[in-house]
């Protein structure tokens, strides 16, 4: 067959079920699958006895007795489901909802920035605002001033909320306030600081450094990393370096993920 004749043969996609005859061997079979091996496109033909044989796609095949060129089938692109950094399905064209009266409170700016980076898209869809408290020493006073109710609920994320800690005692007292029952949810993670809720592997380290109690924790962390640590600006810049390593929920510890999701569910569940 001349090169000109080859170029003018009908091109037939190698679709499963297509019955072909190999001119050289006389093998007749249906395509059961195609694959790429060693840079070549291969198809597997199964004859009527169930035996299979592999052939390279191209020339040398007959379809219904006529010569054809077998070419790779074009696979339709499968739409990829877009997801937010929190792992939820991203809704195309979704506008931010008008902010609810309900709020998420976190202890500080770093907590708020981390929650925003991972859950920001979800929170805008739900109309939930995250506000840093600047500490929880006067949590009871802040809740009284907020005046929570069925349509004005609070979800509060607290650092180091473990049994016997100062934080747990403050939380217990706050939940006894009038109007708090059913309208205020206080949850927390076990870490000294929200920095630790980032998986160390996401930062390229095997574990977070152990810092002596005599050293301020964030300062000690920056010193252990060999970063500047002598001023509030150094701490802020160090946190931004750490935060840049967080892409999505997979970079965070499950103990934080579950608590934030719990708070979002609490604030978005309609109260009858």
């Amino acid at each position: 067959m001349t090169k000109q004749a080859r170029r003018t043969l009908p091109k037939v996609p190698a679709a499963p079920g297509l019955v072909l005859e190999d001119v050289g061997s006389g093998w007749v079979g249906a395509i059961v699958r195609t694959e790429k091996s060693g840079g070549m496109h291969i198809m597997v033909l199964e004859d009527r006895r169930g035996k299979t044989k592999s052939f390279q796609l191209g020339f040398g095949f007959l379809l219904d007795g006529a010569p054809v060129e077998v070419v790779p089938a074009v696979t339709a692109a499968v739409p990829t489901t877009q997801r937010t950094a929190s792992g939820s399905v991203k809704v195309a064209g979704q506008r931010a909802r008008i902010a609810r009266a309900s709020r998420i409170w976190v202890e500080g700016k770093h907590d708020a920035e981390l929650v925003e980076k991972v859950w920001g898209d979800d929170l805008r869809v739900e109309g939930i605002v995250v506000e840093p408290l600047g500490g929880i020493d006067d949590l009871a006073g802040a809740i009284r001033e907020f005046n929570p109710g069925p349509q004005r609920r609070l979800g509060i994320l607290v650092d180091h909320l473990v049994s016997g800690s100062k934080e747990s005692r403050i939380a217990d007292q706050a939940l006894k306030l009038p109007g708090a029952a059913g309208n205020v949810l206080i949850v927390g993670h076990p870490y000294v600081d929200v920095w630790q809720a980032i998986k160390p592997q996401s930062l390229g380290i095997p574990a977070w450094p152990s810092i002596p109690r005599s050293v301020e924790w964030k300062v000690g962390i920056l010193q252990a990393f060999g970063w500047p640590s002598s001023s509030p600006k150094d701490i802020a810049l160090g946190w931004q370096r750490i935060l840049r390593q967080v892409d999505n929920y997979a970079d965070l510890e499950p103990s934080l993920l579950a608590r934030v999701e719990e708070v979002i569910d609490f604030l978005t569940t309609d109260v009858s």
Side-chain angles (χ1 to χ4, degrees), residues 2-68:
T2 66
K3 291 184 178 179
Q4 180 62 32
R6 285 189 171 201
R7 282 198 295 269
T8 58
L9 288 181
K11 296 180 185 293
V12 178
L18 185 69
V19 178
L20 298 168
E21 178 182 350
D22 174 52
V23 175
S25 64
W27 186 280
V28 178
I31 298 176
V32 292
R33 69 176 184 276
T34 59
E35 57 193 36
K36 197 169 183 180
S37 177
M40 298 183 297
H41 287 280
I42 304 296
M43 62 181 171
V44 179
L45 302 184
E46 182 180 73
D47 68 9
R48 59 188 177 84
R49 295 181 295 274
K51 293 184 178 181
T52 59
K53 191 172 182 179
S54 298
F55 298 89
Q56 184 177 350
L57 271 63
F59 299 98
F61 300 96
L62 302 178
L63 174 62
D64 296 330
V68 295

Side-chain angles (χ1 to χ4, degrees), residues 100-105 128-131 133 138-156 177-180 183-185 266-267:
R100 298 172 185 257
S102 299
R103 292 288 186 269
I104 292 178
W105 283 356
I128 301 174
V129 176
V130 179
E131 296 177 344
L133 285 170
D138 189 26
L139 183 60
I143 292 174
R144 286 194 196 93
E145 185 175 349
F146 185 82
N147 190 27
Q151 304 304 320
R152 186 178 172 81
R153 307 171 93 188
L154 277 175
I156 306 170
L177 291 172
N183 300 315
V184 178
L185 174 68
F266 174 74
L267 296 182

